[in-house]
Amino acid sequence: MAKLRIMPATLVSSSRAVKGQRFANWRTIGTAKAVTSVQAKRDVDEYVVLDCDASRESRTIDSKLVSSLSENLRIPFAVGGGVRSVDDAADLFASGADKIVVGAACRENPSLILELVGHFGSQSICCAIDAISDESPVDRIYLEDFGQEIRIEELAKRFEDLGAGEIMLSNVSRDGTMTGISVRNIEAVAKALSIPLVAGSGVAGFECFQAAFDAGASGVFAGALFQFTEQTPDLIRQELESRGYPVRQKMV
Amino acid sequence: MSKLKKVHVLALGLNNVGSVVNALKDCGFSPNIIGLDHDAALVDCDLLVLPGTGNFGEASRRLSSSGMSAKVREFAGLGKPILGICLGMQLLFEESAEAPGESGLEILKGKCIPLSKDKTRKFNIGWNATNAANGHEGILERNPSDFYYVHSFKCVPTLSEQIALTSTFEGEEYAAGVIAGNVVGVQFHPEKSSTAGRIFLKRVIGGLSNG
């Protein structure tokens, strides 16, 4: 198995970096460019940028922004926000994205995954699942225009069967709160999958990384922790290494 | 600095070409991006880079329908340097189980098969240790080095002496890099592998000669 990934994640709304709680109350924390350059300097394992308003506003994350952010990144760059078609994805890949995260569109039109995979290969297509909460580990899927709730592990398996290369699991009730992760949700989805799972939402410190990896995650993404606290991906990495977890050996 | 001055990066319309170009610039090159409609012959170019990501079938159809396959084969036939990255490495071979019936560039002998032996689809996504093989220690600053991988198929060269680097998936060693004369293929993404990737690119390109 690949080494465990520590992935700082930045949410943007157009070109502003934003931070919210439970997928709401967004406030601006700076320009996306400035926030990204900090992560680029940290030489992290993988960097994630998602436009949290794109889907709702029926647009795609700005490919010019992606292009400008990717200029200084020497590491893998996952990008998402309002991707609805092969053309949207092609634009983002051409702008410097290495991996596309598909959210709303793959729940509204699961066959989009098949199309994306046919063009770009499974390994660069990551499907997002947003569990409502620990108590309600479900997301919505639209089949023949009817929305219905589906358990996250079932949805994950469905996405895998359609060709997704990776699943990105969030938890709406914990997102941005730094109150700890939902180990149970991560475990349930990891068990159902043979493709990698990256998980986040509520990540509060080293223990969350350890717990998520123990539960079967291949990567852990975190926003608030790396933006608002002294904690850095390197500190987490060193702590994991000292406890015998396989992490990336950096060359400086 | 390398003797190779004119570097072309072939864009298939499926690739993340930008980061490959950035990495080559970091290594002191001034790469040009060429498309499948590039009508000039490739002979005036010193190094052709085939970047990764994409589906083998889609890529090989685009290469052959545009006539680019023939140009790349001719280029390789002259002993000119080629660097294939990820899918670009896989395309150097004859065929892939990802797209049965589609031909690769057939510059190297061998084929691509799924990484995992069982029926479930498995992906190698992330940083992995990479070891030198067959006396190629010189291309790694540190042996092993960690590079970034994103793939679900692996290359099986017919000539095992062409394997220059190895990595491991589910306990099984596979070809992470091949070197055959002036033809180099790497399964990982040096352009996404930070400092380690840049050192590697400098070294491996430095070892190529202009035909």
Side-chain angles (χ1 to χ4, degrees):
Chain A
M1 282 294 109
K3 300 194 172 181
L4 303 171
R5 279 170 285 157
I6 301 159
M7 306 155 64
T10 301
L11 292 175
V12 301
S13 177
S14 297
S15 62
R16 295 175 296 124
V18 297
K19 196 62 216 165
Q21 284 197 337
R22 303 181 178 90
F23 285 29
N25 302 325
W26 304 109
R27 60 192 176 88
T28 303
I29 57 169
T31 66
K33 185 79 180 173
V35 170
T36 297
S37 69
V38 171
Q39 305 302 342
K41 285 196 193 89
R42 284 175 169 177
D43 183 17
V44 298
D45 296 342
E46 183 169 337
Y47 182 53
V48 185
V49 171
L50 305 172
D51 190 319
C52 52
D53 287 329
S55 262
R56 202 167 39 76
E57 296 173 359
S58 300
R59 55 177 178 80
T60 307
I61 183 171
D62 183 5
S63 60
K64 286 197 194 77
L65 174 74
V66 171
S67 170
S68 134
L69 299 183
S70 70
E71 257 168 42
N72 301 317
L73 288 173
R74 305 296 184 241
I75 43 128
F77 186 24
V79 169
V83 174
R84 302 191 164 272
S85 68
V86 167
D87 286 347
D88 290 346
D91 267 358
L92 297 175
F93 281 122
S95 305
D98 298 297
K99 191 186 287 175
I100 300 294
V101 182
V102 197
C106 64
R107 297 191 282 269
E108 288 162 16
N109 171 24
S111 66
L112 173 64
I113 301 170
L114 283 173
E115 271 181 72
L116 291 170
V117 165
H119 273 79
F120 307 106
S122 289
Q123 64 290 337
S124 38
I125 303 300
C126 175
C127 292
I129 294 180
D130 304 325
I132 293 176
S133 65
D134 302 16
E135 296 71 34
S136 184
V138 294
D139 197 349
R140 287 185 85 73
I141 188 170
Y142 293 81
L143 299 168
E144 289 161 3
D145 290 338
F146 290 105
Q148 59 185 72
E149 286 191 342
I150 179 171
R151 288 191 68 87
I152 49 174
E153 61 271 28
E154 232 174 280
L155 184 57
K157 186 76 182 82
R158 197 177 286 220
F159 287 163
E160 173 177 320
D161 291 343
L162 287 166
E166 187 167 83
I167 300 293
M168 174 177 276
L169 178 65
S170 301
N171 183 322
V172 179
S173 72
R174 291 178 177 270
D175 205 72
T177 62
M178 289 179 54
T179 54
I181 51 161
S182 167
V183 174
R184 205 175 50 187
N185 285 2
I186 296 171
E187 208 161 41
V189 175
K191 264 193 198 140
L193 292 174
S194 58
I195 54 175
L197 169 67
V198 298
S201 292
V203 177
F206 170 75
E207 291 71 24
C208 291
F209 284 86
Q210 189 176 26
F213 292 136
D214 288 345
S218 302
V220 172
F221 59 89
L225 178 72
F226 295 136
Q227 252 134 26
F228 302 135
T229 77
E230 299 289 298
Q231 197 56 263
T232 68
D234 270 341
L235 293 173
I236 302 283
R237 198 169 48 83
Q238 286 153 15
E239 184 76 36
L240 284 165
E241 186 172 25
S242 73
R243 301 191 191 198
Y245 288 84
V247 290
R248 170 184 164 210
Q249 302 296 306
K250 278 200 193 180
M251 204 175 285
V252 271
Chain B
M1 202 56 252
S2 169
K3 329 165 258 310
L4 309 179
K5 296 278 181 261
K6 201 163 183 182
V7 177
H8 282 346
V9 178
L10 179 62
L12 295 174
L14 297 164
N15 312 130
N16 170 11
V17 175
S19 54
V20 174
V21 168
N22 284 344
L24 289 165
K25 282 182 185 165
D26 287 350
C27 295
F29 297 100
S30 315
N32 301 307
I33 298 174
I34 61 166
L36 290 168
D37 56 353
H38 181 77
D39 49 8
L42 294 171
V43 251
D44 64 334
C45 137
D46 295 323
L47 169 66
L48 180 66
V49 180
L50 305 173
T53 78
N55 173 289
F56 187 96
E58 183 70 25
S60 55
R61 279 190 293 277
R62 289 185 182 200
L63 279 167
S64 56
S65 66
S66 63
M68 186 51 83
S69 295
K71 287 182 192 167
V72 177
R73 279 194 202 104
E74 183 195 10
F75 185 75
L78 295 168
K80 294 278 202 167
I82 297 183
L83 169 63
I85 297 172
C86 192
L87 177 66
M89 171 191 187
Q90 296 178 5
L91 287 167
L92 296 172
F93 289 88
E94 293 162 295
E95 57 180 351
S96 173
E98 188 178 16
E102 298 284 349
S103 301
L105 291 165
E106 301 171 321
I107 292 167
L108 299 178
K109 283 199 184 312
K111 59 183 177 181
C112 308
I113 62 169
L115 257 181
S116 192
K117 273 183 296 193
D118 60 33
K119 286 262 163 60
T120 56
R121 296 170 319 103
K122 293 244 176 93
F123 296 89
N124 184 20
I125 300 185
W127 296 81
N128 264 309
T130 307
N131 289 278
N134 289 317
H136 286 289
E137 287 74 13
I139 53 174
L140 294 183
E141 165 92 0
R142 196 160 65 193
N143 190 16
S145 286
D146 279 4
F147 294 118
Y148 186 76
Y149 291 77
V150 185
H151 64 123
S152 49
F153 288 81
K154 62 180 174 185
C155 301
V156 185
T158 307
L159 306 171
S160 63
E161 64 270 27
Q162 291 178 343
I163 299 173
L165 297 167
T166 62
S167 190
T168 307
F169 185 78
E170 292 181 340
E172 201 157 321
E173 205 170 71
Y174 68 93
V178 289
I179 297 182
N182 267 334
V183 177
V184 178
V186 287
Q187 187 58 68
F188 54 88
H189 288 272
E191 78 280 13
K192 286 285 143 189
S193 298
S194 194
T195 310
R198 274 146 184 78
I199 296 174
F200 170 78
L201 277 176
K202 270 189 202 165
R203 290 195 175 194
V204 81
I205 297 174
L208 300 171
S209 66
N210 190 8

